[in-house]
Amino acid sequence: MQDIFGQTTSLAAGPALDSWNKTQLAFLAHGAATPVHLGDVLTAAPDFALGNAIKGMFYVLLGRKELTETAREALATARTAAQNSPVSTREQHFIDALGLWLAGQPRRALTHFEALLAASPSDVLAMKLDHATRFILGDSTGMRRMIEKVMPAYSADHPGRGYLMGCYAFALEETGEYVRAQSMGREGMLISPDDAWGLHAVAHVHDMTADAAGGIEWLTGRENAWAHCNNFRYHVWWHKALMHLDLGQHDVVLDLYDREIRSDKTDDYRDISNATSLLSRLELEGIDVADRWEELADISATRTEDGCLIFADLHYMLALVGDNREAEIKTLMGRLHRDAREAKTDIQRAMADPGVAAACGLEAFGEAEFEKAFVNLSQARSHIQNAGGSHAQRDVFERLTIDCGIRAGFLDEAELILAERTNLRKGHEDGYAAARRDLIAKGRDASGQGVSIPAE
């Protein structure tokens, strides 16, 4: 039998295969129904090795220590099923990729996705998992390279073509091809209107080209494209909040925060990152966020020993710093240092660089030690992409670095970073950059300095 994407499967025609097709389509669309459909698959076919491997992969990608055991159980079930009934080379690659992820080696797991795509470029499940893994690792050039390799295999009638285009739009945006990214994302959504990833890729373009008004216009009226999503829907609302923030519409931002972004007090690290980074941006603009840090810090205080992803740890640190949780900050810093010293896994190596320096910078910022914060955040900055995420997500650390530089009196250094930030955006200057240029100019006037570094 073949699945909806033309890939050979060990499932027979019937409910299990129907549910497997629904699982893959929902996964591509970041649909909330994904685990429901996968549960139906494994209820109907508990020995489906690939289904169990994908279950494990889904849990790994959640980046939570307490879910690791569930992922290991799924891997064990997949391996047992493969021993009891021989599986295809394709299924074995997925099983082996999960094993490497669980061993802390996601970069080696990528070799299995690469092998899958070399054998069958139209394998959209492998494409999406490769894309997701590279996103977590901050490998934007790899995302783009792999998609460009497989694109010729996606004919106009391929059921995954729209989702592929959404992934390509994001990869193009992350590698600075903003015009092509916007065109690709819009075209992909005409094919797959439920592709929230493609929709959000276009939102990224608006962010990177300082077109907040255009971004709001793009998202407004398209809410159905992300209403069906899992917690990814909070992230799309976060993008809309960023656009309003750039326009200085702080009341709208706080309303979106309360009504959409944190309407559900979830503990998923991606939701915590949305919330903490938005509150940090608001506070840098002098906005009182009231007691909103408290619930984020309460959750983050339980994650200090997690250690699954440095991206998550740094946002937990933002929450702890935001609510002045000194004991938990020390606990998290201690664990980061231990992981960095061990440095046996890909994740631990990211803890070492850029993790420790970035976390030290955030801790110093919370203590108003702006010179120390600037030195540490600047040190982390050269490798901050290895923390994973997107330009838009990592920009909170860039803003904190610049603001610490200004507050510590390092005006030339802060202006240089600000210029590099604007250059990344192809010369587009957003509201944040304009305001900081003004602050730097006023600082120079007050100190009698007259030199400025123009953006290239």
Side-chain angles (χ1 to χ4, degrees), residues 25-100:
L25 286 167
F27 173 53
L28 292 169
H30 294 254
T34 306
V36 176
H37 295 314
L38 183 56
D40 291 341
V41 174
L42 295 178
T43 297
D47 295 326
F48 180 36
L50 177 56
N52 283 287
I54 296 304
K55 175 184 176 180
M57 191 67 69
F58 287 170
Y59 275 103
V60 163
L61 293 174
L62 290 175
R64 293 175 56 172
K65 187 175 183 179
E66 71 271 19
L67 300 179
T68 302
E69 185 56 35
T70 304
R72 292 190 187 282
E73 291 171 0
L75 175 61
T77 301
R79 284 174 169 169
T80 299
Q83 290 173 352
N84 293 338
S85 180
V87 297
S88 66
T89 300
R90 176 176 184 258
E91 287 183 289
Q92 191 62 53
H93 275 303
F94 283 108
I95 296 169
D96 292 342
L98 173 59
L100 287 169

Side-chain angles (χ1 to χ4, degrees), residues 322-336:
D323 204 45
N324 301 308
R325 301 291 183 92
E326 294 183 7
E328 289 84 357
I329 290 170
K330 289 180 180 178
T331 300
L332 178 53
M333 286 301 307
R335 204 219 73 235
L336 283 171

Side-chain angles (χ1 to χ4, degrees), residues 338-346 348-349 352:
R338 291 195 303 274
D339 286 348
R341 285 194 299 269
E342 189 168 338
K344 291 181 179 178
T345 68
D346 292 340
Q348 288 176 330
R349 284 186 281 274

Side-chain angles (χ1 to χ4, degrees), residues 173 178 182 186 199-219 243 246 428 430:
E173 177 274 322
Y178 302 133
Q182 185 173 56
R186 286 174 176 268
L199 172 127
H200 120 287
V202 176
H204 272 269
V205 173
H206 286 284
D207 179 87
M208 297 299 288
T209 57
D211 182 17
I216 292 169
E217 182 180 357
W218 164 248
L219 292 175
M243 296 163 185
D246 195 54
H428 297 284
D430 57 10

Side-chain angles (χ1 to χ4, degrees), residues 7 60 86-87 90 166 175 208 227-228 231 251 268 279 283 304 308 312 343 374 401 450:
Q7 299 299 317
V60 163
V87 297
R90 176 176 184 258
T175 53
M208 297 299 288
H228 68 281
N231 64 315
D251 289 344
D268 188 292
L279 293 186
E283 288 194 334
T304 56
C308 288
F374 179 72
T401 306

Side-chain angles (χ1 to χ4, degrees), residues 74-328:
L75 175 61
T77 301
R79 284 174 169 169
T80 299
Q83 290 173 352
N84 293 338
S85 180
V87 297
S88 66
T89 300
R90 176 176 184 258
E91 287 183 289
Q92 191 62 53
H93 275 303
F94 283 108
I95 296 169
D96 292 342
L98 173 59
L100 287 169
W101 245 113
L102 285 167
Q105 301 178 67
R107 295 187 187 280
R108 285 187 60 198
L110 288 171
T111 63
H112 289 283
F113 299 137
E114 291 169 358
L116 284 162
L117 293 170
S120 179
S122 62
D123 190 337
V124 70
L125 181 61
M127 180 279 296
K128 187 67 172 179
L129 286 171
D130 180 273
H131 189 77
T133 301
R134 292 182 192 277
F135 173 73
I136 287 172
L137 296 173
D139 182 15
S140 56
T141 56
M143 279 194 294
R144 179 171 172 176
R145 183 184 67 253
M146 291 306 297
I147 294 173
E148 288 176 341
K149 281 184 177 180
V150 304
M151 279 199 83
Y154 285 75
S155 58
D157 61 348
H158 190 291
R161 180 173 172 80
Y163 302 108
L164 174 86
M165 294 173 75
C167 289
Y168 191 37
F170 182 75
L172 286 168
E173 177 274 322
E174 288 295 295
T175 53
E177 292 281 353
Y178 302 133
V179 175
R180 290 180 62 200
Q182 185 173 56
S183 175
M184 187 66 61
R186 286 174 176 268
E187 185 180 349
M189 283 205 68
L190 293 175
I191 301 171
S192 300
D194 66 345
D195 182 22
W197 188 257
L199 172 127
H200 120 287
V202 176
H204 272 269
V205 173
H206 286 284
D207 179 87
M208 297 299 288
T209 57
D211 182 17
I216 292 169
E217 182 180 357
W218 164 248
L219 292 175
T220 301
R222 290 184 168 86
E223 290 80 5
N224 285 339
W226 75 85
H228 68 281
C229 285
N230 50 27
N231 64 315
F232 189 67
R233 68 186 184 275
Y234 307 129
H235 184 66
V236 182
W237 284 114
W238 174 81
H239 272 282
K240 194 168 187 181
L242 291 186
M243 296 163 185
H244 286 287
L245 177 65
D246 195 54
L247 296 176
Q249 298 166 352
H250 302 134
D251 289 344
V252 177
V253 176
L254 289 170
D255 178 63
L256 285 173
Y257 181 96
D258 295 332
R259 186 166 44 85
E260 301 291 354
I261 297 168
R262 288 304 287 170
S263 58
D264 299 320
K265 308 304 183 189
T266 59
D267 60 355
D268 188 292
Y269 82 88
R270 294 161 294 189
D271 304 337
I272 300 299
S273 74
N274 294 332
T276 56
S277 66
L278 185 55
L279 293 186
S280 293
R281 285 169 166 88
L282 283 163
E283 288 194 334
L284 289 178
E285 299 307 316
I287 304 304
D288 183 0
V289 301
D291 61 354
R292 291 178 176 85
W293 281 116
E294 185 176 353
E295 65 100 3
L296 300 173
D298 286 344
I299 293 170
S300 298
T302 69
R303 317 301 303 174
T304 56
E305 296 294 338
D306 199 76
C308 288
L309 296 171
I310 186 58
F311 181 86
D313 282 339
L314 293 179
H315 287 88
Y316 297 146
M317 181 64 80
L318 280 176
L320 298 174
V321 167
D323 204 45
N324 301 308
R325 301 291 183 92
E326 294 183 7
E328 289 84 357

